[in-house]
Every structure is written in C-alpha cells, then in structure tokens.
Amino acid sequence: MTADVTILGAGIAGLAAAIACARRGLAVEVIEQAPALREVGAGLQIAPNGARVLDALGVDIPHIESRTVALVDGPTGQPVLRMPLAAPFRLVHRADLIAGLASVAENAGVALHLGQQVRRVTEAGLETAGGLRPYGRLIGADGVRGASRAFVAPDHAAGQGRRFTGQVAWRATVPVTDWPHETRVQMGPGRHLVLYPLRDGRLLNIVGVEERADWTPEGWDIDDDPDHLRAAFAGYAAPVRALLDRVEVVKLWGLMDHGATPRWTRGRVTLIGDAAHPTLPFLAQGANLALEDAWTLAATLDDPAGWEASRRPRVERALAAARGNATNYHLSGMRRIVGHGVLRALDRVTPGAMARRYDWLYGHDVTKG
C-alpha cells in the first residue's frame, strides 16, 4: 500500500517532516540511499527558532546551552563584543540530532527504508533499482544534488546555478576539558574561526573560513591536510594557534551560494531544507530553517503553493543576512579598526543591541502558527 507521504532523505529536514506528518495521522515512509545513518559532520547550533520545533516534535537530545556569543579579534586575541542571547542556543553533535530524530520517527510509526537509491523522480513514481515505486505526496529532503530537486527545478539540479562565494571552509574537532559554554567567533582579515563545545564540553567544534580566488576540487566534503588550516590562521594569537596544532583530521569544502530554488513545488512534489534553499553557514540557520520547513509544510500539506508564498520571504531574508555576516567577520585595515571600535562602544553603551537585530529570526515560533 502506498504511504500518504513519502519523504526522500533521512537528514534533519526529512526526519523532522516525517515526525510532523505522522503526528497528524498520516502514513509516512522515509527513503534514504545511505545503508545506515552514519556520523557525518560535527557541530550544529540549534537556535531558539529551531529548538521550538524540536520541543514540539518531542525530540530531546544531549546538548550544551550557550547563552553568549563572543566576538574576538583573532590576530590580537582581544575581545570585541559579547552578545548575551535572549534565549539559549543548543550546541549539538549532528549525529546525536539525527539519532534522536530517527528514534522519535520510528516510535511515531514512520517506516524508514535505508540503502534505497532513487535514480529519478517522475510524475508516475520513483525510479529505483527495483522498478517504479508509486508515491502519494512526496517531500524532497535529499539536498542540492537530490533527485527531487532535479524534478522540481531541473535548471538548478545538482547545484547548477550556484555561485562560488570566494570562500572555503574547514571543519574539525579536538578534545577539550575546560571550554566555556559559549560560541566564539575569532575574526580576522579575510578569514574567521567559529569555536564551540559539544558533548558535555568534551569536544570542541572548529569551523574555519578563508577567502580564496577560486575553487577547483569536486565535492563538498574533502579530506585536507591540517597544516593548510594552520597556515591559514598562522597570523592569529598564540592560544588559537596552539588549539589548531592539535587538529589531526580536517574536512574542506568550497562555499557555494545557491540562493533559494526558484520553485519549491511541482505537482505532488515539494522541496524543503537544502533541496529548496541551501544556506551559507554564517548565521547558524541551515538546520533551523530545515526544522521550520518541516513543521510548517506538514501543517499545510494540502496547500504547498500557499506554504511557499508565506515561507519564502522569511527564508530569503535569512539567506541574505547570512551572506552579510561573512563580510563583517573579514574586515581588514582601517575598516577593521573602525568596525571593531564601533562594536566595542556599542557593547559598553547598549549591551545586547547586536543580538536584538536578529529577534525577527531567533524569536519567531512557527509552532504557534
């Protein structure tokens, strides 16, 4: 029997959508090409807007609460601004989040099919190795290179239409024992580091971003030499260099700006998460927007056009804000001196003012309609 809702992709967006749909009494199946839900990636910051969706879904996972974001001048090590957060961010390991979502989904009656590759989405069904598989309503949560995006927006399939931002990112983790429960952004000319603790503070998540003129390797998750990461931040203060000296394994990828896919629905297929709007990692919103997508689409599944019309302005505003943050973190010369001076003055005169600029984003609660 065909499920009411078929979801492609067992990532954050797909599993959250599966739970939300199942809680509304629908028969749901999730199709994932990976043979197992492996530990891919590392740290995620679940902002208050995303945390509200997790709470509404009944997903409770191990996390660290961060109530502060500290901006630091990387080369000197001097503090620039401390932003108290109106509501805490949850610092989580992606593997823990996926495991928690999968457990709740299975308990809600969702059928999870692993190791099932969908070659193509058509109006008639899903083309798989075993033949044509029918579907009732299809939610595409299989990412930028997924089959659902190729069907809904063929001109943007497999990342077509993307633009290289002129930046690459490294991802690594190192063991720690005494890192405070906060996120630190180490800013510098043409580069920055984001550091925050995971898993009871025993692991430090490291994301380093550097500006580059070009990007040639294929793929988004490439093994790199840790010395390349260390060389990029050789001009930073000694404590940061000592931290990077401990990195043994590092991943590298080029940051591409895809923007929001021009259309999110075609027939019975609707895209969510990265399949609809890949998000640059400068506002910690990729996972959070995916959670919002999942909840809101499940609540309006019979009106995908109306869902997109109401959802798109918020998503595009978040994508634009993320783009702007990269520029602000990478100031150099007099712009850096003046910019950091203004932030320090703002911190003294109106503490919390910078954080309040994002009240529209973090303060929003999609679970209340």
Side-chain angles (χ1 to χ4, degrees):
M1 186 176 72
T2 303
D4 298 321
V5 180
T6 298
I7 297 172
L8 292 190
I12 295 168
L15 290 172
I19 299 168
C21 289
R23 292 279 167 82
R24 287 166 172 79
L26 299 171
V28 183
E29 64 175 357
V30 177
I31 300 175
E32 167 59 45
Q33 66 177 353
L37 299 181
R38 297 173 289 110
E39 182 167 316
V40 177
L44 291 171
Q45 298 183 68
I46 301 299
N49 56 307
R52 294 182 188 105
V53 176
L54 289 180
D55 290 344
L57 294 174
V59 179
D60 185 17
I61 58 170
H63 63 271
I64 290 175
E65 286 197 351
S66 170
R67 295 183 176 273
T68 307
V69 176
L71 302 184
V72 180
D73 182 272
T76 66
Q78 295 300 308
V80 175
L81 175 73
R82 290 184 67 79
M83 292 189 291
L85 302 171
F89 278 51
R90 299 177 189 179
L91 309 179
V92 307
H93 198 290
R94 187 181 187 278
D96 296 338
L97 178 56
I98 292 295
L101 286 165
S103 176
V104 173
E106 289 179 331
N107 288 338
V110 173
L112 182 57
H113 306 294
L114 300 176
Q116 304 291 315
Q117 185 171 13
V118 173
R119 297 170 176 171
R120 196 160 72 99
V121 174
T122 71
E123 292 181 2
L126 308 177
E127 291 185 2
T128 70
L132 194 65
R133 184 183 186 126
Y135 61 85
R137 189 78 177 80
L138 185 69
I139 296 177
D142 49 346
V144 171
R145 298 181 178 276
S148 59
R149 181 181 172 107
F151 173 74
V152 173
D155 290 343
H156 283 68
Q160 295 178 48
R162 67 186 181 179
R163 178 187 64 83
F164 177 53
T165 63
Q167 299 169 95
V168 297
W170 290 273
R171 181 180 67 241
T173 59
V174 295
V176 290
T177 57
D178 58 354
W179 193 269
H181 288 190
E182 68 177 22
T183 299
R184 292 182 183 173
V185 182
Q186 301 266 352
M187 306 178 294
R191 67 208 68 228
H192 75 275
L193 283 170
V194 180
L195 311 169
Y196 55 86
L198 302 170
R199 291 181 168 168
D200 297 327
R202 295 178 285 109
L203 198 65
L204 186 68
N205 194 70
I206 301 172
V207 177
V209 176
E210 179 190 40
E211 294 179 4
R212 284 192 186 176
D214 56 14
W215 172 251
T216 55
E218 290 295 327
W220 66 274
D221 194 22
I222 298 165
D223 291 321
D224 196 29
D225 187 335
D227 282 341
H228 296 162
L229 170 63
R230 290 187 269 270
F233 294 92
Y236 270 40
V240 171
R241 298 199 308 272
L243 188 67
L244 298 183
D245 282 342
R246 297 167 51 203
V247 172
E248 297 179 356
V249 177
V250 65
K251 296 288 187 176
L252 173 71
W253 73 101
L255 297 180
M256 304 292 173
D257 189 353
H258 298 260
T261 306
R263 59 191 293 189
W264 295 350
T265 293
R266 178 182 172 187
R268 294 173 290 144
V269 183
T270 299
L271 308 178
I272 63 173
D274 281 351
H277 48 77
T279 307
L280 291 170
F282 303 130
L283 201 57
Q285 279 298 296
N288 295 287
L289 292 177
L291 289 168
E292 287 189 358
D293 284 354
W295 180 274
T296 54
L297 178 60
T300 57
L301 200 55
D302 293 332
D303 183 20
W307 170 77
E308 178 177 343
S310 63
R311 183 87 183 118
R312 184 178 284 273
R314 174 171 169 79
V315 168
E316 292 191 339
R317 185 179 180 187
L319 265 59
R323 292 186 196 102
N325 265 3
T327 300
N328 296 333
Y329 291 159
H330 293 182
L331 299 177
S332 60
M334 282 302 299
R335 292 183 66 202
R336 174 167 157 247
I337 295 171
V338 172
H340 289 190
V342 169
L343 289 176
R344 290 187 175 101
L346 189 65
D347 196 26
R348 290 193 300 270
V349 176
T350 55
M354 286 293 292
R356 288 193 293 273
R357 291 190 311 153
Y358 297 113
D359 282 352
W360 63 271
L361 181 60
Y362 303 139
H364 191 57
D365 186 354
V366 297
T367 70
K368 293 184 177 179

